[in-house]
Amino acid sequence: MGSMRRVLDCFLVFAAGTALGAACSSSPGTPAVKPLPEPDPYPALITRGPLSPRIANYDIRVRFDPVAHRIVAEQTLRWTNPATRPVSKLPFHLYMNAFKNEESVFMRESRGRHRDARASETGWGWIDVTAVQVHHNDVTISPDDVTISPGPNDPGEPGPMRAVPGSKAELLDRVVFPGPDETVLEVPLDQPVQPGQTIEVFMAFEVQLPEVFARTGYKNAFHMVGQWFPKIGVVVGEPGSERWHCEPFHLHSEFFADFGVYDVAIQVPNTHTVAATGVLTGAVDNGDGTRTLTYHAEDVHDFAWMADPHIDVIEGEAKNQYGTVRVRVYHRPAQRHFAERHLHAGIGAIEQFSALYVPYPWSLISIIDPPPRAARGAGGMEYPTFVTTAGDSFFTPPGVRLPEYITVHEVGHNWFQGMLASNEVDEAWLDEGVNEYADSIVMDALYGDGSGMVDWAGFRASSHLMRRAASGFLELIPAPIETISYEFPDYSSYAMATYLKTGLALRTLENIVGVEDFRRAMAFYAQRFAFRHPTGRDFFSSLEQALGRQLDWFVEPAFRQIGAVHYEVRDINCRRKHKKPRGVFGRGDDKVIVTPEDGPETDTWTCQVLIVNVGRVPAPVDVRIEFDDGTIHREHLSVSFDKTWHRISVERKSPVARVVIDPDQAIVLDSHLHRRDVRTDPALGPARRAAARAQFWTQTLLQVVGL
Amino acid sequence: MIKTSRSLSIGDMLGTGVAMLRRYPRLWLSLYLVEFVVAAIVAWVVARILVDQFGTLPIFDRAVQGDLIALLNVLGEGRSSFAAVLLLVMGALGGYVVLSWYLIGGANAVLIQRPEARREVVECFGTGGAATFYSYFRLALWTVIPHGICFAALSVGLSLGADSLKYAITGGDVVRAVIFPLIPVAALYWLNATAIDYARIELSRRAGPAGRPDRASEAEFDDSTAAERPAIRSAKPLSAIGALVRGYRTVVTNPRPLVHVLLYGLFFASVSVVYVALTHGRPMSGATGAIAIFAIRQVVLFTRYTGKIVCAGGQVAFSQGRS
Ligand SMILES: [Zn+2]
């Protein structure tokens, strides 16, 4: 019995060890009071502004309760009508209502899942607009005596929110929710806003943050606050036929907004570190355990912020044509070694994107590295001068550059969407995919050609090739790249078309037209449309203009239809040439039979190689044919629309040994590589080596399961 | 010299195991050859499949050489071939488990009866393996229960750890997420595997050739010599479940069988680590490289195999000596 007890004791120790292990996950401890931060000693821009038409300008004053995950705020929007027609209503996004219940468009489409994260049953989020007042060119529309509460530029007046005099309910009663849910609110105007006229709209609102699963919300003590304030839509369309663009918040869509200046004062507990869009212009201790931090940003189209009591920050500098950009990475202490990797990637991205396209004009960028349990929901999101990254994991050691890639991608969005503010709802590819194309260039520039994504344990890979190899087949995406984001049938189709296929299509186009020319054309597009709202049409017409050639032959099938390139060596056929053709020639009595003796074999081989492109996207391609005697024949196959195959005939003193389609791997919009390189004689060595390895592992397993 | 359980220490078990290994070199070599041949047949079929599918595709060469993109493409395009390879390996493993009932039965009979002449060894192995095949089969059916418990513990452990593993940042996080939850599973497996080994030995001892008074069965009826001779109760039939219960009793009443198996486990792991250290980062290409890697692998496999024989020899000695 004694020894039985000993064995049982052993098990109890093991079980206790397990429980302890589970409980031992690092707890960040009680938050301490943080020193009051010094305001940033530099302006919002490192170049002369304004850089954009400042159409939508916000002053926001926020009181933040991290325990209830609640925000109480007031905002004043100064909006200028950019249209050629009067505007009689103002639509506002209330994105946070996407997380209000299961009936919102977002929740119906997502079923509570976004990427790999899931919504919790208790962490609903919402936004309540509690007051709406409109000032119209110094004339208060209704009620007459409304006063706009002071903007938050004066950090000396944090205090409680002031009740706004006037019958706010009267205006509030007139707002409507025109869409299928409460993510769009419309304010009807008694008096239209004339073209070029500026209007001021005051709103008071309360936000309950959701438990984060789709970009915004809290996870334990970490708070990522995005899509949180009532945000006016964008007037789009040709002059004379403008309309509002203010879609309900869909699952597969991001954001679209006008540029402006933001002044935001955030009152937070003094235990919390805050990072936000723009620069810190003021910090005041309120003496009640809270402080008010005031941020100022120029020529941006969004404002996001983060508050966390356990977060540290490291800082570095990036240099570009305008000067110095401060790069900060906010991270939990346990993620310090990842923070350094993010910082290196962030600095590199700022410098590379600046050199490739237009210089980064803001003086600061904040990169938030969320704690691991928040990263799936909050990580990997872009806001102007403020991004969240992700990828920190035991399984991404140095050399497995997923964390760096995410940082580069999100920082890259400061160009492709931050400055080139395309419509992410209607044309998600124009920021995500164009950005992904650029990311691969930047990653290879930062970490070495061909090893931008992986350089670990002898494995090397660029990001675009790695992503292609790790994804499904491109021709199985059921919708073209140019699809409105919320009309994709599922997340996989959306992601593969918008990100991967776009990136590969552009990379292919670049290789076809010439790398240098294409990069110059991309820079031309970026410089032409920075701080505007370019469309896909603008994008391609800029490229065509800069390249001086039409691109429709490729753009139409690659971007507007389903499918991809799919090249294969279909057949290799060689035989000796006969001195005379053999067989029966002539008719009737004139028949002549040419026998093998009459037409003996010569020392020349006549070979035919059949190359097919069974994908739907045409692409010119090089083919290299290697012969047994070591000679090489290279041929360029141009695009032909009437047939999807090419037969190459060639005569040599020896037969074909190997055919390689696209030896320079230029046509990357092709998932199928295995029959692009074919030899005529099978090689036994590699298969035997693999089999020898299989033998070792099989025998090892035999030793485990049997004698 | 034969010792009783009171004096049969781990050292004695190891010593007996080594002695048994040296006493029947031809038998153990033959059994190793069986194992090798099974794996070689698998490898031959694998080679055929791979040559058929990829022989003319240089992308496969690059994949074998460690080109990550080529490897991922080959795995994606050749999914059906790799599924076939996997099925083949699984089939070989299943078949070898069944074959092992016979092989282990034969080996146990030899270790129990310790025949002298070469012919006797062959005969003892053959009859022993055949005699216990069905009782080993019945035992295997009963072991579905402890293995099932082990599997359930594994599932629980993995599901407990999976969530933490997703968020693991450091090696410590991984240890907490995976190793800690799996320690009880490993312990359970260790207990089960050891008990099953002893259950098989019990079944083999009971199935000693009828009417043939070997030294062990003499001991059964001669209390005065019990202290000096290994015991075997070949006269009484023993059910598979009875053997399993005895196996568990053996391992829970004395820590030595568990420690002994643990030593074998450590030996197996150490040899594997040495193999990884020897081969990691060395491409070993060309014909010389192929021969070198083959030789290293066979040395590793054979060394681990000898460890298993030493372990089995010690277990039989312990089982015989303790009564
Ligand atoms: Zn993105």
Side-chain angles (χ1 to χ4, degrees):
Chain A
M1 251 340 250
S3 46
M4 173 83 97
R5 169 71 54 82
R6 275 206 302 280
V7 172
L8 278 174
D9 284 351
C10 273
F11 272 105
L12 286 175
V13 169
F14 286 138
T18 307
L20 199 65
C24 271
S25 52
S26 52
S27 158
T30 315
V33 173
K34 305 289 183 303
L36 193 66
E38 290 290 321
D40 292 318
Y42 25 80
L45 296 172
I46 52 172
T47 185
R48 229 182 37 218
L51 300 170
S52 66
R54 294 175 174 177
I55 290 172
N57 306 283
Y58 294 82
D59 285 352
I60 313 178
R61 174 170 295 217
V62 178
R63 201 168 63 218
F64 171 54
D65 176 355
V67 177
H69 317 295
R70 186 72 68 94
I71 289 166
V72 182
E74 294 174 341
Q75 77 175 26
T76 301
L77 163 70
R78 282 187 311 285
W79 180 80
T80 304
N81 181 5
T84 56
R85 300 194 302 178
V87 163
S88 58
K89 63 185 181 187
L90 302 176
F92 285 82
H93 291 284
L94 301 183
Y95 291 117
M96 208 52 93
N97 280 340
F99 312 113
K100 191 170 183 179
N101 54 50
E102 290 180 337
E103 291 298 304
S104 72
V105 170
F106 189 98
M107 293 300 269
R108 282 206 308 264
E109 290 176 349
S110 71
R111 295 169 169 255
R113 293 188 70 150
H114 184 253
R115 300 180 193 164
D116 288 337
R118 277 175 184 278
S120 76
E121 278 297 328
T122 50
W124 302 106
W126 44 256
I127 175 170
D128 261 356
V129 174
T130 53
V132 180
Q133 293 153 12
V134 175
H135 280 221
H136 204 280
N137 266 4
D138 302 320
V139 179
T140 304
I141 302 303
S142 174
D144 289 345
D145 61 346
V146 157
T147 55
I148 297 301
S149 99
N153 283 321
D154 177 5
E157 283 187 348
M161 295 297 165
R162 293 194 301 112
V164 180
S167 52
K168 60 186 176 188
E170 192 183 319
L171 259 186
L172 199 57
D173 285 348
R174 290 169 53 192
V175 304
V176 290
F177 293 99
D181 63 8
E182 294 175 35
T183 59
V184 175
L185 171 142
E186 213 168 77
V187 179
L189 301 173
D190 291 344
Q191 184 182 329
V193 190
Q194 296 304 319
Q197 191 184 10
T198 299
I199 191 171
E200 287 192 340
V201 183
F202 170 84
M203 285 180 170
F205 59 97
E206 279 184 42
V207 173
Q208 172 62 52
L209 294 172
E211 187 163 6
V212 64
F213 82 103
R215 307 183 185 92
T216 183
Y218 66 90
K219 189 74 189 180
N220 303 320
F222 176 80
H223 290 78
M224 174 59 226
V225 188
Q227 299 92 44
W228 57 285
F229 58 93
K231 196 173 182 189
I232 195 163
V234 179
V235 174
V236 296
E238 297 299 320
S241 58
E242 294 99 336
R243 60 186 172 81
W244 278 108
H245 188 284
C246 194
E247 294 285 322
F249 193 10
H250 286 274
L251 170 64
H252 303 140
S253 72
E254 287 195 319
F255 311 102
F256 184 41
D258 272 317
F259 289 96
V261 174
Y262 284 71
D263 286 289
V264 182
I266 307 169
Q267 183 183 329
V268 290
N270 58 16
T271 48
H272 280 60
T273 299
V274 175
T277 300
V279 290
L280 182 68
T281 52
V284 172
D285 193 327
N286 300 325
D288 59 356
T290 69
R291 57 185 46 154
T292 300
L293 306 171
T294 308
Y295 292 87
H296 174 74
E298 295 175 8
D299 301 308
V300 296
H301 49 60
D302 202 355
F303 188 96
W305 52 284
M306 174 281 313
D308 185 274
H310 306 293
I311 215 150
D312 291 341
V313 61
I314 56 174
E315 184 172 324
E317 289 181 351
K319 306 278 185 202
N320 69 12
Q321 299 90 314
Y322 289 152
T324 301
V325 180
R326 275 79 184 176
V327 183
R328 290 181 187 153
V329 178
Y330 291 82
H331 64 94
R332 290 281 181 93
Q335 289 156 264
R336 172 63 192 245
H337 54 299
F338 286 101
E340 280 162 10
R341 290 167 60 182
H342 291 300
L343 182 62
H344 179 263
I347 291 170
I350 294 279
E351 293 179 346
Q352 292 290 331
F353 276 95
S354 291
L356 282 168
Y357 306 112
V358 286
Y360 185 90
W362 298 288
S363 52
L364 187 67
I365 186 161
S366 298
I367 299 168
I368 314 302
D369 191 13
R373 283 180 188 271
R376 277 172 193 248
M381 181 56 198
E382 69 278 8
Y383 303 92
T385 81
F386 177 103
V387 301
T388 65
T389 187
D392 298 8
S393 166
F394 173 78
F395 303 102
T396 52
V400 179
R401 302 200 174 101
L402 181 65
E404 288 90 339
Y405 180 77
I406 295 173
T407 293
V408 166
H409 178 84
E410 304 310 338
V411 171
H413 271 305
N414 275 270
W415 281 261
F416 299 110
Q417 207 264 344
M419 287 181 246
L420 293 140
S422 51
N423 182 337
E424 289 187 293
V425 181
D426 290 353
E427 296 182 306
W429 65 273
L430 192 50
D431 70 304
E432 295 297 356
V434 175
N435 186 20
E436 175 142 339
Y437 148 81
D439 298 339
S440 178
I441 297 168
V442 170
M443 289 297 284
D444 273 6
L446 292 179
Y447 299 104
D449 240 358
S451 56
M453 191 67 158
V454 179
D455 189 0
W456 178 81
F459 293 117
R460 296 172 77 245
S462 287
S463 66
H464 64 294
L465 298 182
M466 183 67 200
R467 298 221 337 111
R468 180 185 65 180
S471 304
F473 297 133
L474 293 164
E475 71 274 15
L476 300 183
I477 306 170
I481 291 172
E482 288 193 6
T483 299
I484 290 175
S485 59
Y486 53 80
E487 289 183 353
F488 279 98
D490 58 7
Y491 182 76
S492 159
S493 321
Y494 162 74
M496 278 192 67
T498 303
Y499 293 73
L500 180 67
K501 187 178 170 187
T502 305
L504 293 172
L506 291 176
R507 192 72 174 219
T508 300
L509 193 56
E510 174 177 287
N511 290 331
I512 291 170
V513 303
V515 172
E516 275 185 28
D517 287 352
F518 191 79
R519 291 190 185 170
R520 259 199 303 276
M522 284 292 298
F524 173 73
Y525 158 70
Q527 286 150 16
R528 186 169 169 189
F529 285 99
F531 297 100
R532 295 173 61 189
H533 295 309
T535 62
R537 221 168 35 189
D538 297 328
F539 176 68
F540 289 122
S541 66
S542 298
L543 294 185
E544 285 181 338
Q545 189 183 336
L547 291 166
R549 61 190 279 188
Q550 292 290 309
L551 299 175
D552 251 12
W553 62 270
F554 182 78
V555 169
E556 183 62 35
F559 286 80
R560 294 170 191 143
Q561 292 173 25
I562 60 170
V565 183
H566 183 170
Y567 268 116
E568 274 190 18
V569 178
R570 188 52 68 84
D571 187 42
I572 304 169
N573 187 327
C574 288
R575 64 176 198 173
R576 279 195 188 273
K577 194 173 180 183
H578 300 150
K579 211 158 198 165
K580 281 163 76 179
R582 295 172 185 172
V584 180
F585 296 89
R587 281 179 296 276
D589 293 340
D590 295 335
K591 277 199 193 82
V592 176
I593 300 171
V594 180
T595 63
E597 286 74 32
D598 303 330
E601 286 180 342
T602 66
D603 60 351
T604 301
W605 290 79
T606 167
C607 296
Q608 290 192 333
V609 175
L610 179 59
I611 307 289
V612 298
N613 176 6
V614 291
R616 296 189 187 193
V617 179
V621 74
D622 283 350
V623 175
R624 192 180 70 211
I625 302 175
E626 298 172 8
F627 296 86
D628 273 351
D629 60 3
T631 57
I632 286 173
H633 171 84
R634 201 167 166 129
E635 193 156 328
H636 180 75
L637 308 182
S638 53
V639 167
S640 61
F641 295 95
D642 54 340
K643 60 179 188 178
T644 53
W645 51 269
H646 303 262
R647 196 185 305 279
I648 302 171
S649 296
V650 62
E651 289 187 357
R652 285 283 160 125
K653 295 295 178 194
S654 69
V656 170
R658 180 177 174 185
V659 177
V660 186
I661 302 174
D662 192 21
D664 305 322
Q665 302 196 35
I667 312 301
V668 292
L669 187 66
D670 185 346
S671 301
H672 303 275
L673 303 185
H674 70 309
R675 291 201 61 82
R676 281 171 149 226
D677 183 356
V678 175
R679 65 185 153 224
T680 45
D681 287 331
L684 303 179
R688 284 182 180 157
R689 282 186 62 172
R693 195 170 292 177
Q695 165 166 22
F696 174 70
W697 286 107
T698 304
Q699 207 171 334
T700 296
L701 290 173
L702 294 182
Q703 291 186 343
V704 172
V705 301
L707 176 69
Chain B
M1 196 182 93
I2 297 163
K3 293 187 176 181
T4 65
S5 63
R6 268 169 236 113
S7 60
L8 208 62
S9 65
I10 299 275
D12 293 330
M13 291 168 79
L14 292 175
T16 312
V18 172
M20 289 296 116
L21 177 71
R22 296 171 66 170
R23 187 159 162 180
Y24 303 106
R26 284 168 200 277
L27 174 66
W28 308 133
L29 265 177
S30 310
L31 291 179
Y32 179 75
L33 209 60
V34 173
E35 181 189 294
F36 172 80
V37 166
V38 171
I41 291 171
V42 169
W44 183 77
V45 180
V46 168
R48 286 299 304 269
I49 292 173
L50 295 181
V51 168
D52 278 358
Q53 181 82 22
F54 302 112
T56 57
L57 305 180
I59 195 170
F60 181 73
D61 310 7
R62 297 198 293 276
V64 172
Q65 284 157 12
D67 178 333
L68 182 59
I69 300 299
L71 182 65
L72 290 170
N73 274 287
V74 162
L75 288 174
E77 296 283 357
R79 230 170 283 169
S80 54
S81 302
F82 293 108
V85 166
L86 196 68
L87 273 177
L88 175 70
V89 172
M90 299 300 282
L93 289 180
Y96 193 69
V97 165
V98 174
L99 181 62
S100 285
W101 296 335
Y102 179 81
L103 301 179
I104 295 171
N108 279 343
V110 170
L111 291 168
I112 290 164
Q113 297 177 31
R114 300 182 185 179
E116 301 286 348
R118 218 160 101 187
R119 241 184 97 166
E120 275 180 46
V121 173
V122 173
E123 198 184 313
C124 177
F125 179 86
T127 51
T132 51
F133 185 80
Y134 286 109
S135 51
Y136 277 24
F137 169 62
R138 284 193 295 275
L139 179 67
L141 292 182
W142 279 110
T143 57
V144 168
I145 296 169
H147 283 321
I149 293 168
C150 207
F151 185 76
L154 179 70
S155 307
V156 172
L158 287 180
S159 63
L160 273 178
D163 188 55
S164 311
L165 196 63
K166 271 195 290 194
Y167 305 112
I169 295 272
T170 63
D173 295 339
V174 173
V175 169
R176 275 194 290 275
V178 178
I179 309 294
F180 281 5
L182 293 187
I183 283 175
V185 180
L188 199 58
Y189 178 76
W190 176 29
L191 185 84
N192 288 342
T194 313
I196 290 165
D197 284 349
Y198 282 94
R200 284 181 181 147
I201 294 167
E202 283 294 323
L203 288 171
S204 288
R205 287 175 62 201
R206 299 287 179 143
R212 185 175 152 197
D214 57 34
R215 290 182 309 159
S217 52
E218 280 168 33
E220 171 72 17
F221 305 104
D222 183 359
D223 282 341
S224 62
T225 60
E228 281 130 16
R229 292 184 178 184
I232 188 159
R233 301 181 194 86
S234 59
K236 296 177 195 166
L238 182 63
S239 67
I241 181 67
L244 192 59
V245 169
R246 277 169 181 272
Y248 277 105
R249 204 161 64 199
T250 304
V251 295
V252 298
T253 53
N254 194 324
R256 269 175 275 179
L258 283 173
V259 174
H260 179 244
V261 166
L262 181 65
L263 289 177
Y264 163 64
L266 291 175
F267 176 76
F268 190 98
S270 312
V271 174
S272 306
V273 168
V274 169
Y275 166 72
V276 172
L278 275 177
T279 55
H280 183 70
R282 291 186 177 85
M284 301 203 192
S285 47
T288 326
I291 293 167
I293 188 76
F294 177 79
I296 292 173
R297 283 174 180 158
Q298 284 309 313
V299 168
V300 165
L301 288 162
F302 188 74
T303 309
R304 291 196 303 216
Y305 169 80
T306 56
K308 190 159 209 172
I309 300 301
V310 169
C311 180
Q315 286 178 324
V316 169
F318 185 86
S319 184
Q320 287 178 307
R322 65 187 294 271
S323 59

